[in-house]
Amino acid sequence: MSPPERPDRAGYLFAFGAATAYGANAVLNRAGLERYGAPLAAVVVALVAGVLALAPLAWRPERRAVGFILASGLCAIVGYSASILALSLLPVVVAAPISGAYPLVTVLLARLFLRTEERVNRRTVLGAVLVVAGVALVTLGR
Amino acid sequence: MLGIFAAALAAVGWGTDAVLARQGLRRIPPALGTFLSLCAGLVGALIALLIVDPGGLGRYPPSGFAWFGLIGLINFLVGRQCNYNATKRLGAARSVSLFATSPLISILLAVGFTGERPGPTLLAGVALIVAGVVLVVRS
């Protein structure tokens, strides 16, 4: 699948929709964990809710795709669990900028493994660097 | 040192997630991809919970289940679905840089609802994030 020459606007709307949901969740998560604690239990409850809500949409998928998606889900949980561990051991002003560098990891891996499907040019790389630097400053500034 | 390693592992995990999802989403719809990734994540989280905090779920009142259930719907039904749709349309590298702006949303919510006033460092960070987003969108 070759990359589209002009990414559609719906893609950007979805991206900002995801950022909005994640940003709002960060606020809700903080409030919930302050009140109830047990962060891993919180993750399990949230995942169960998501699985139940999406179960009606499940049907037999193409086998080749399943492995990638399952690995994607496991990587996401590894990331989340590792970030919780980091935050329990380090001040947030140290842990958050390090874990927040994940766009740079994606850019590097996309350049290495998705060459035929995605165009990663200098603007994409510089944009990712600026976003990561900006998030680090935002974290330090709070 | 363990904390630094854990933070770096978080970055690697989340960064790799997007690339793997991009490959998987070539052949299946984002909604199904979201469901499958959540199933995998749930298995991993249950194992981690049983090892680290086996009594964690038992400490929650009904309101706690409701609160984090709502977070699950927002984060996964909305957030990850949008995530996978964006990844499929824009590619992993471009979309992840846009997802990473979520702390900006948190800041805006904090400023809007709690009256928190942003300082110069935070405003400089916001400017960098916006500049980065513009570059990614125009790349």
Side-chain angles (χ1 to χ4, degrees), chain A residues 103 106-107 110 114 118 120 124, chain B residues 15-23 86-99:
Chain A
T106 300
V107 167
L114 300 177
E118 291 192 24
V120 178
T124 308
Chain B
T16 307
D17 168 19
V19 172
L20 291 169
R22 175 77 164 103
Q23 289 293 69
T87 298
K88 189 164 188 168
R89 291 169 185 266
L90 303 178
R94 197 177 279 123
S95 59
V96 163
S97 296
L98 299 176
F99 304 153

Side-chain angles (χ1 to χ4, degrees), chain A residues 16-74:
Chain A
F16 286 114
T20 301
Y22 294 154
N25 248 0
V27 176
L28 293 173
N29 253 329
R30 191 175 304 149
L33 290 174
E34 281 177 4
R35 183 168 183 180
Y36 301 107
L40 278 178
V43 171
V44 169
V45 172
L47 282 166
V48 168
V51 166
L52 291 176
L54 285 165
L57 300 175
W59 64 91
R60 189 173 174 180
E62 185 176 326
R63 190 173 294 179
R64 280 178 296 175
V66 171
F68 284 114
I69 295 297
L70 292 179
S72 164
L74 283 173

Side-chain angles (χ1 to χ4, degrees), chain A residues 1 8 12 14 19 22-23 25 28 32 36-38 42 54 62 69 72 77 79 82 90 102 106 117-118 123-124 134 142, chain B residues 3 6 10-11 15 17 22-23 27 33-34 41 60 63 67 75 82-84 89 91-93 102 106-107 116 137-139:
Chain A
M1 186 169 81
D8 56 285
Y12 292 115
F14 280 123
Y22 294 154
N25 248 0
L28 293 173
Y36 301 107
L54 285 165
E62 185 176 326
I69 295 297
S72 164
I77 285 300
L90 298 171
Y102 67 90
T106 300
E117 299 166 45
E118 291 192 24
R123 278 189 181 177
T124 308
R142 297 207 70 187
Chain B
D17 168 19
R22 175 77 164 103
Q23 289 293 69
R27 296 180 174 88
T34 305
Y60 275 177
S63 57
W67 186 268
N75 198 51
C82 287
N83 175 328
Y84 277 8
R89 291 169 185 266
S102 63
S106 301
I107 295 295
E116 185 174 323
V137 169
R138 298 184 67 179
S139 67

